[in-house]
Amino acid sequence: MNDPVLQAEGLVRSYGKTQALRGLSVTIASGEIVAVSGPSGCGKSTLLHCLAGIIVPDSGAVRYRGQPLGEMSEKQRSRLRRTSFGVLFQFGQLVAELPAVDNVGLPLLLGGYQKRIADSKSLEWLQRLGVAEVASALPSEMSGGQAQRVALARAMVTEPEVLFADEPTGALDSLAGEQVLEVLTSHARQRNMTVVLVTHDAKVAAYADREVLLRDGAQLAAEVPA
Ligand SMILES: Nc1ncnc2c1ncn2[C@@H]1O[C@H](COP(=O)(O)OP(=O)(O)OP(=O)(O)O)[C@@H](O)[C@H]1O
């Protein structure tokens, strides 16, 4: 395996009495596209959120390039999410008051880019994902599928080292879903971007290099190539 980018060891995470992760370990190499799959409620999103440092496991550790996330301050973790990680949540989470072009450009503005450059990179990504026509639309004026593609553009625009995507094609019909996955995976392969893709759909998992199958908060079996 190439250099590991992310190593999770013995992750346990509960919500009240529900144990979402039960001692899960997984290693993700640089440039790998990994699908995390399994039935609803098996802990996929919880694993993604632990790997991205959005939530902290009750026990176990996640290391990013050897550095335990648990030993970073919240400020350091959020800086890491802004600079090295791109996160696409299951429900896009666009800013309701901003048109698509500004939603996508937001992480660039926060990273110190000039508005003019942020706008042009944002439009480039909207075009690549086939939603340039909604550039000036507010999220409330978009279809669910358009909003999801805009949210993906926002996660990709900073060219993150690792992209975490939770059901990135959940709101898309199958043709649009294939187009988005094609753009996402070909870009990742060109740029050696690591992708962690949560999905319950075998057709989506087939775009990955490797599949991590979960059942009830644990890995089902030896990892299988997708
Ligand atoms: N914020 C929360 N509060 C309480 N229980 C939660 C919370 N988030 C997740 N859970 C529970 O933890 C378990 C794992 O949830 P998780 O969302 O990680 O699974 P998932 O595989 O991503 O599911 P889905 O495919 O339906 O999105 C489930 O039983 C879920 O009900």
Side-chain angles (χ1 to χ4, degrees):
M1 193 182 261
N2 286 343
D3 282 353
V5 178
L6 288 164
Q7 287 169 291
E9 241 178 69
L11 296 185
V12 173
R13 169 70 198 212
S14 298
Y15 299 98
K17 286 185 182 156
T18 308
Q19 211 173 23
L21 297 177
R22 305 164 188 258
L24 189 72
S25 299
V26 64
T27 299
I28 297 171
S30 177
E32 244 194 326
I33 302 178
V34 175
V36 176
S37 60
S40 182
C42 69
K44 303 183 294 294
S45 299
T46 305
L47 173 62
L48 187 95
H49 293 164
C50 285
L51 290 174
I54 296 163
I55 59 172
V56 178
D58 301 330
S59 65
V62 174
R63 288 189 175 75
Y64 165 71
R65 296 213 172 274
Q67 200 187 353
L69 297 186
E71 289 175 17
M72 295 180 189
S73 64
E74 181 46 45
K75 204 171 158 192
Q76 284 174 311
R77 272 201 301 270
S78 73
R79 185 173 150 32
L80 184 69
R81 284 200 300 271
R82 215 174 48 240
T83 55
S84 305
F85 292 175
V87 185
L88 175 65
F89 292 100
Q90 195 166 5
F91 304 102
Q93 300 193 341
L94 295 174
V95 180
E97 296 77 17
L98 295 181
V101 66
D102 292 345
N103 257 289
V104 175
L106 197 56
L108 295 174
L109 292 180
L110 292 173
Y113 279 84
Q114 288 175 356
K115 174 91 169 84
R116 186 175 51 82
I117 296 174
D119 282 354
S120 105
K121 282 180 181 283
S122 164
L123 287 170
E124 195 182 304
W125 271 101
L126 290 170
Q127 206 149 27
R128 218 173 258 171
L129 290 168
V131 280
E133 77 277 10
V134 297
S136 9
L138 293 171
S140 59
E141 297 161 338
M142 300 171 201
S143 72
Q146 286 169 333
Q148 203 165 13
R149 281 188 268 184
V150 172
L152 178 59
R154 189 179 60 182
M156 300 278 275
V157 76
T158 56
E159 308 265 346
E161 185 185 353
V162 187
L163 177 74
F164 297 94
D166 199 344
E167 301 279 5
T169 59
L172 303 176
D173 62 46
S174 58
L175 181 63
E178 280 168 30
Q179 286 166 349
V180 164
L181 285 166
E182 200 51 58
V183 171
L184 196 164
T185 52
S186 62
H187 186 79
R189 291 197 166 100
Q190 268 168 31
R191 309 285 173 105
N192 202 41
M193 181 168 85
T194 307
V195 181
V196 185
L197 195 66
V198 161
T199 185
H200 62 270
D201 183 344
K203 281 196 271 193
V204 174
Y207 280 83
D209 302 322
R210 182 162 63 98
E211 191 173 356
V212 172
L213 267 172
L214 302 190
R215 287 286 184 285
D216 295 330
Q219 202 168 326
L220 184 61
E223 292 173 11
V224 290

